[in-house]
Amino acid sequence: MFEALMARPPDAIMALMEMCRSDPNPNKIDLGVGVYKDEQGRTTILDSVKQAEQLWLNEEQTKTYIGTVGNKVFSNHMMDLILGKDHKALSEGRVAMSQSAGGSGALRLAAELIKEAAPEAVIWASTPTWANHVPLITSAGLKMEGYPYYNRETLCVDFEDMINHLDCKAKAGDVVLLHGCCHNPTGADLSDKQWDVLAKFLADKKLLPFVDLAYFGLGRGLKEDVYGLRKVVATCPEVLIAASCSKNFALYRERTGMAAVVTATPEAAKAAQSQFGAIQRKIISMPPDHGAAVVARILGDAALKTQWMAEVDMMRGRITDLRKTLSDALNVQGGEVVAKAVREQKGMFSTLPVTQAQAEALRTQHSVYITNSGRANIAGANLENIPRLAEAILAVL
Ligand code: LMR
C-alpha cells in the first residue's frame, strides 16, 4: 500500500529549524521558528509556570479523562482574560468554548465548526499569512482566498486595499481570518482606528471575523493586544476565536490553546458547544491537560497571575529593545525603510523585503536563518549579535 505514497516537501518553518540546528557555526543567528529567546539564546520556562507546575504536582489527584472539550476552568479563565471579566456575551451564555491542542488545534476546531455550519463559506486570509493557516483550514474541507494586507515596498499594511478587496470579492456569510495582534509573518498590525473601521465594515457586510490570537501580550500589552478582538465582539453578532498559550506562557510543546465562538443567541452557543465536543472527539478525542492545568493554576491565583503578567511585560520589553537596536543599526543609507518597519512592527516577526535568493544568501554566507519569504523572528536575536545581523541584512539587500 505505502509504495504508492508520494514524499511531501517538508514544512518550511520546521525545515528551517532543522537546517539551523545542523549548522556548526557557533555564531549562527536563528531567526526561524517563532519562539522567544533570552539574551543567552535560551527559551526558558517562565517562573510563574514553574511555580504553578510545582503546586500542581502536589495538588493533582488523578490522571483520568476530563472530557472532549478539556479543562473548563482553563477555558473560562482564558475567556475572562481575552474578553474581560463578566463580559456581556459570557453572562448572556453566548459563548461556546473548548480547550484545544495548541493554537493550531483551536484553528482546526474553528474550521471544522465553520464546515459544519456553512460548508460553502470562503475563508479570507491576509496575504501573507502564517503558512500553516492554509493546510489547517483547507484540510477541514474549506475554501480559502487571500486579501491584500502587507505592502512589500512600504512594509506597512495596505488597509484601503484590504477593505476594497473584501468589499468587492467577499460575500455575506464568508469568514475573514484576522491576526488579533503581532501579525505572523509581518509584524504589521492594524491600528486601533483601523480595527474600528474594520469591525463596522464586517458587521455591515455580514462577514464573520475569525480572530487568531497567538501572540497576545507580546505586541503592545495584554490588554492593548486584544483591542481589535474586543472591538469585533462588541460590533459583530458572531465571532470565532483561536487563542494560544504557546508564546505568552512559553508553553510551546505542551500544546495549550482554546477555540471559542461568540454567537448571536444562547441557543446557538449551546449547539456550538456540543459541536466542539463532537469535533474534538473525532479528531483527537480529548486535548492534553498539563499546559491547561498550569495556565488555570496561574490565572486562578492573584499572585501567580501578577507574576506571569510581569514576565510577559519583560518578554515584550526585550523584543521592543531588540527591535530598536536592530532598527538603529539598519538606519543607514538604503536601509531606512526596513529600519522604520522593524522599529514600528509588533511582536516577534518582521518580514524583510528580501528575495528567496537573498534569504538563502543570509543562510549560506552569514549563518542567519530566516524563511525564504523573508520572515525574521526578531526575538531570536540578541544585543550582542545585532550588529552582525544588521550588516548581513544590509549586505544582501
Ligand atoms: C511559527 O510561526 O514559527 C510558530 O507559530 C511555530 C509554528 O508552528 O509554525
Side-chain angles (χ1 to χ4, degrees):
M1 170 197 290
F2 301 116
E3 290 80 5
L5 278 181
M6 303 279 285
R8 279 178 183 258
D11 174 273
I13 295 171
M14 298 297 124
L16 190 66
M17 210 161 94
E18 284 312 314
M19 259 189 262
C20 184
R21 272 188 191 147
S22 53
D23 182 343
N25 182 349
N27 295 322
K28 63 192 171 187
I29 303 179
D30 180 7
L31 309 184
V33 71
V35 296
Y36 172 86
K37 294 193 188 138
D38 65 14
E39 191 58 23
Q40 285 71 44
R42 298 168 311 188
T43 302
T44 55
I45 301 171
L46 301 187
D47 286 343
S48 51
V49 165
K50 256 296 178 230
Q51 281 180 41
E53 281 181 319
Q54 258 144 18
L55 291 166
W56 187 236
L57 187 68
N58 295 330
E59 289 163 7
E60 192 178 31
Q61 298 291 328
T62 175
K63 295 279 188 193
T64 190
Y65 296 122
I66 294 185
T68 54
V69 294
N71 187 327
K72 292 182 184 167
V73 177
F74 158 80
S75 296
N76 284 323
H77 279 310
M78 284 291 289
M79 283 321 285
D80 285 347
L81 184 71
I82 291 169
L83 291 185
K85 205 163 165 49
D86 304 324
H87 188 277
K88 202 160 124 268
L90 291 166
S91 53
E92 291 172 358
R94 290 190 294 108
V95 186
M97 48 188 129
S98 175
Q99 188 211 324
S100 59
S104 298
L107 288 161
R108 185 56 185 269
L109 279 181
E112 295 280 352
L113 193 74
I114 299 168
K115 173 76 177 165
E116 210 47 61
E120 298 307 319
V122 173
I123 318 302
W124 294 86
S126 61
T127 306
T129 194
W130 179 44
N132 208 26
H133 274 151
V134 178
L136 272 171
I137 292 171
T138 54
S139 57
L142 295 167
K143 190 164 174 250
M144 285 185 91
E145 298 275 358
Y147 58 80
Y149 187 81
Y150 191 60
N151 182 320
R152 280 184 72 101
E153 269 164 35
T154 61
L155 308 186
C156 294
V157 178
D158 258 341
F159 188 63
E160 245 183 81
D161 276 8
M162 169 184 174
I163 296 286
N164 289 341
H165 189 90
L166 289 170
D167 198 22
C168 291
K169 305 271 166 112
K171 55 180 194 318
D174 280 355
V175 178
V176 181
L177 180 61
L178 300 158
H179 297 233
C181 61
C182 308
H183 185 270
N184 180 2
T186 69
D189 280 352
L190 299 177
S191 67
D192 288 355
K193 277 207 179 105
Q194 288 170 332
W195 275 108
D196 295 348
V197 173
L198 177 65
K200 184 167 178 323
F201 166 79
L202 295 171
D204 290 348
K205 280 278 289 182
K206 299 192 170 29
L207 296 169
L208 177 79
F210 176 4
V211 182
D212 184 357
L213 203 57
Y215 293 83
F216 67 109
L218 299 181
R220 292 185 295 158
L222 278 164
K223 210 157 165 203
E224 293 82 351
D225 287 348
V226 288
Y227 177 90
L229 172 64
R230 290 185 182 183
K231 191 71 193 184
V232 292
V233 169
T235 317
C236 303
E238 298 179 323
V239 180
L240 272 164
I241 303 164
S244 170
C245 301
S246 294
K247 327 287 171 168
N248 51 12
F249 285 87
L251 278 168
Y252 309 94
R253 65 174 67 166
E254 298 295 353
R255 312 309 301 134
T256 310
M258 73 170 297
V261 58
V262 180
T263 58
T265 63
E267 293 71 32
K270 269 200 196 113
Q273 190 61 53
S274 70
Q275 287 283 350
F276 272 145
I279 293 166
Q280 189 124 262
R281 180 76 172 147
K282 74 177 177 190
I283 310 177
I284 57 165
S285 185
M286 290 170 232
D289 183 56
H290 182 75
V294 167
V295 171
R297 193 70 184 71
I298 293 172
L299 296 180
D301 178 311
L304 279 177
K305 185 174 172 187
T306 305
Q307 187 180 347
W308 167 69
M309 289 165 84
E311 291 183 284
V312 174
D313 287 350
M314 185 275 298
M315 289 192 278
R316 187 181 61 255
R318 176 175 151 72
I319 294 172
T320 309
D321 285 351
L322 290 171
R323 283 189 172 282
K324 188 178 170 309
T325 312
L326 179 58
S327 171
D328 288 346
L330 289 168
N331 199 12
V332 294
Q333 204 186 353
E336 298 92 338
V337 177
V338 192
K340 181 169 177 289
V342 164
R343 181 187 292 260
E344 288 173 1
Q345 290 168 350
K346 297 287 180 287
M348 292 191 187
F349 306 116
S350 281
T351 289
L352 307 175
V354 293
T355 60
Q356 177 168 339
Q358 288 168 326
E360 279 166 11
L362 276 174
R363 286 201 293 275
T364 53
Q365 293 166 24
H366 304 274
S367 284
V368 170
Y369 287 79
I370 68 169
T371 68
N372 283 342
S373 60
R375 190 189 83 166
N377 171 22
I378 309 292
N382 61 45
L383 294 173
E384 195 211 308
N385 65 25
I386 276 182
R388 210 153 37 82
L389 172 60
E391 259 173 49
I393 294 172
L394 291 167
V396 301
L397 280 179

